[in-house]
Amino acid sequence: MEKKNIDWSNIGFGYQQTDKRYVSNFKDGKWDDGELTSDANVVINECAGVLQYAQTCFEGLKAYTTEDGHIVCFRPDLNAARMEDSAKRLEMPVFPQDRFVDAVVQVVKANAAYVPPYGSGATLYIRPYMFASSPVIGVKPADEYQFRILCTPVGPYFKGGAKPITIKVSDFDRAAPHGTGHIKAGLNYAMSLHAIVTAHEEGFAENMYLDAATRTKVEETGGANFIFVTKDNKVVTPKSNSILPSITRRSLVYVAKEYLGLEVEEREVFLDEVKDFAECGLCGTAAVISPVGKIVNHGEEICFPSGMDEMGPVTKKLYETLTGIQMGRIEAPEGWVKVIE
Ligand code: PLP
Ligand code: COI
């Protein structure tokens, strides 16, 4: 298979149309067989539930070319399970988890020419999503839904790749205490758009959101969970019912304990204690692990000792081990890597 003529090492995190995507429709209480299509456009009724009441959820995972030339993806079963949680919370039908994984495999295979080569720094981002496609005008769940998976080759989420970024403590909230912060609902991201535009205008790469109830605890950013490292090399990551249960974070917790022999604390993290950490990073599928060099809280600067030039040493070890597992350089725990071809 010949790869597409793309300047892999210089692509950003953007949408680029590929050849095939997967579509399945839910009607009369059941999902149809689903198929791959070349049609990148969606036609829905003007009153579709997604357009009126934002009834939509999504997932994000990546396919990689490994050192020995296979195409693999990382823990797609966990994306399938999380999408089930999202669908249930949004009163949407569940797309069966085994079919989800099978559809991911179909889409990646059909777009193998877009999977960036090993060592290019780029990956194939896979975006499963589901939306209410039939009309609703009273506030209620729709009767019909569409599940789709598109994919697009991507580079680093933050410009500069592994360079530390500066973020701000946001004055906006991302999620309510008993709301939808723990699922991947499109509405959470709509909520965050004004906050991220504001942060970018002020020169920050991202927002640190606090818990909405007390505004004293660290939650997450718009698209990633936090990982901190203490001065004595303990990994600390915030625990909260209103953050997205990041698959990357859960994997890093395992990697830290089982591969690197580090102590890990998953607990509430107060904004007041952030200044005492040695390292800070954002973790997620898109972010991988993006180091944070500085956090600004209304003019007060928290500068991590790891600085603004490179990742801190523990963050770097976590990064290298995780990406080593994903790219086939380091043996993966059972079931983490799904070989596609
Ligand atoms: N938090 C938010 C709000 C996200 O959008 C994402 C991205 O999926 C994450 C965290 C990281 O989750 P994951 O590691 O499963 O990609
Ligand atoms: C992901 O990492 O897959 C996400 O969905 C985050 C998004 C901000 C791109």
Side-chain angles (χ1 to χ4, degrees):
M1 172 265 317
E2 206 174 311
K3 292 284 175 190
K4 297 285 170 180
N5 183 19
I6 293 172
D7 184 8
W8 305 107
S9 301
N10 289 306
I11 51 175
F13 196 90
Y15 170 73
Q16 196 170 333
Q17 193 173 308
T18 63
D19 294 342
K20 299 283 181 188
R21 67 278 305 131
Y22 179 88
V23 186
S24 178
N25 287 294
F26 182 89
K27 196 175 171 175
D28 300 327
K30 56 182 190 301
W31 290 102
D32 68 14
D33 289 343
E35 59 176 5
L36 292 173
T37 169
S38 300
D39 190 353
N41 294 307
V42 177
V43 178
I44 45 175
N45 184 271
E46 62 187 352
C47 209
V50 61
L51 300 179
Q52 303 308 325
Y53 303 124
Q55 200 186 7
T56 179
C57 60
F58 69 100
E59 271 304 322
L61 68 161
K62 281 176 171 172
Y64 311 83
T65 304
T66 57
E67 193 168 25
D68 62 359
H70 288 292
I71 295 177
V72 302
C73 65
F74 187 68
R75 310 189 79 178
D77 52 323
L78 297 189
N79 295 96
R82 193 169 62 189
M83 194 149 185
E84 173 161 346
D85 294 340
S86 298
K88 285 178 175 163
R89 178 65 176 78
L90 295 172
E91 293 296 336
M92 302 171 88
V94 171
F95 193 74
Q97 292 190 26
D98 55 338
R99 286 194 59 194
F100 177 108
V101 174
D102 176 61
V104 167
V105 170
Q106 285 188 47
V107 170
V108 175
K109 271 194 182 157
N111 295 290
Y114 293 91
V115 182
Y118 176 77
S120 64
T123 52
L124 187 76
Y125 185 69
I126 305 160
R127 170 55 61 87
Y129 57 112
M130 192 199 293
F131 53 86
S133 52
S134 64
V136 287
I137 196 74
V139 177
K140 61 174 189 176
D143 294 324
E144 295 174 14
Y145 295 84
Q146 191 166 104
F147 171 84
R148 296 178 76 99
I149 304 180
L150 64 81
C151 65
T152 182
V154 295
Y157 190 66
F158 294 105
K159 277 191 222 99
K163 270 259 181 226
I165 54 171
T166 301
I167 65 173
K168 68 170 283 188
V169 177
S170 184
D171 292 324
F172 300 101
D173 294 326
R174 173 185 176 273
H178 303 283
T180 55
H182 61 299
I183 58 158
K184 219 159 158 54
L187 63 93
N188 295 338
Y189 299 81
M191 280 269 292
S192 74
L193 293 177
H194 181 60
I196 192 66
V197 168
T198 306
H200 285 165
E201 278 168 2
E202 294 170 359
F204 300 103
E206 251 294 359
N207 282 299
M208 169 185 271
Y209 292 105
L210 304 179
D211 74 296
T214 70
R215 298 194 59 82
T216 58
K217 289 175 269 184
V218 176
E219 293 254 293
E220 59 175 330
T221 68
N225 284 178
F226 278 102
I227 290 270
F228 298 100
V229 180
T230 62
K231 288 183 179 137
D232 56 356
N233 288 351
K234 236 183 255 163
V235 175
V236 178
T237 184
K239 190 173 177 169
S240 157
N241 291 332
S242 45
I243 66 175
L244 192 77
S246 159
I247 294 162
T248 313
R249 186 246 303 158
R250 286 182 270 162
S251 304
L252 285 170
V253 164
Y254 184 89
V255 162
K257 286 184 192 161
E258 305 298 329
Y259 282 64
L260 303 176
L262 298 169
E263 218 176 297
V264 180
E265 288 178 2
E266 296 180 78
R267 59 164 172 86
E268 290 185 331
V269 173
F270 289 86
L271 178 60
D272 279 353
E273 62 178 306
V274 169
K275 61 178 185 336
D276 301 324
F277 289 124
E279 301 175 35
C280 172
L282 308 182
C283 66
T285 298
V288 194
I289 308 181
S290 301
V292 176
K294 193 196 286 187
I295 301 176
V296 179
N297 181 19
H298 300 100
E300 179 206 345
E301 294 193 347
I302 300 170
C303 298
F304 295 102
S306 49
M308 293 305 294
D309 291 325
E310 47 189 323
M311 279 189 194
V314 175
T315 308
K316 191 156 190 218
K317 268 196 215 155
L318 287 167
Y319 177 89
E320 280 172 357
T321 312
L322 179 72
T323 54
I325 289 170
Q326 291 167 333
M327 313 269 174
R329 293 187 297 268
I330 296 176
E331 195 173 336
E334 178 82 33
W336 277 26
V337 170
K338 176 146 188 87
V339 178
I340 291 176
E341 62 177 46

